[in-house]
Amino acid sequence: MEEKEGDIVKRGDEEGMKMAIGLLEEFGLPMGLLPLADVIEVGFVRSTGYMWIVQKNKVEHNFKMISKLVSYDTEITGYIDQMRIKNLKGVKAKELMLWPPVNEIVVDDPPTGKIHFKSIVGVTNTLLVDAFAAGQ
């Protein structure tokens, strides 16, 4: 673990994945929300909630339970907080023929089993949290 001004940085696929999943778990987000591959680096600044993930290639993942195709760029950034990620960059969800960027992800608190995905173009999708469980 390397720390720079409160930053925690993990390098390599195994350590990076562990940290990314650990952050999702710590902040009450579904463990399968970030299906990453070939992670190069994951970083987190606890004082601000800023996190970043760098992976070798863009990943497209189909969440089978909800038939939703999601694209994860080589660099994903955002601010993680309890039950939410805001100012998210690098994640897009296919809507019909378009790929609007997902800007915010919020899990209902208290839990209702629902998770909300908001895009900067005003599209909001409410889905079941279970669709993003680990292994989905």
Side-chain angles (χ1 to χ4, degrees):
M1 187 158 71
E2 178 184 329
E3 291 188 51
K4 288 188 236 158
E5 298 172 36
D7 297 359
I8 303 164
V9 178
K10 297 280 185 168
R11 292 190 171 81
D13 190 53
E14 193 178 332
E15 289 298 309
M17 282 300 292
K18 262 191 221 162
M19 183 169 161
I21 289 167
L23 287 172
L24 292 173
E25 188 174 31
E26 178 182 342
F27 290 101
L29 294 159
M31 309 283 262
L33 197 59
L34 299 170
L36 308 167
D38 295 326
V39 173
I40 296 168
E41 181 178 283
V42 175
F44 178 58
V45 182
R46 190 161 294 281
S47 60
T48 61
Y50 182 73
M51 61 148 203
W52 68 93
I53 298 165
V54 180
Q55 54 184 356
K56 263 187 204 144
N57 301 302
K58 193 166 125 172
V59 172
E60 282 190 2
H61 182 81
N62 188 24
F63 290 95
K64 292 178 195 76
M65 190 187 280
I66 52 169
S67 300
K68 178 68 68 186
L69 189 61
V70 181
S71 167
Y72 297 85
D73 223 330
T74 53
E75 190 167 341
I76 300 162
T77 62
Y79 290 85
I80 192 167
D81 199 356
Q82 206 51 44
M83 314 288 269
R84 73 189 298 170
I85 301 174
K86 58 187 181 195
N87 294 47
L88 185 62
K89 292 183 177 31
V91 179
K92 295 177 181 160
K94 191 167 188 186
E95 296 291 336
L96 304 170
M97 301 303 284
L98 304 172
W99 286 88
V102 177
N103 185 44
E104 187 173 11
I105 300 171
V106 181
V107 174
D108 282 350
D109 188 15
T112 61
K114 300 270 197 276
I115 184 167
H116 311 277
F117 296 84
K118 301 173 184 172
S119 80
I120 43 180
V121 294
V123 177
T124 298
N125 240 339
T126 299
L127 302 164
L128 292 173
V129 170
D130 291 351
F132 303 93
Q136 291 295 325

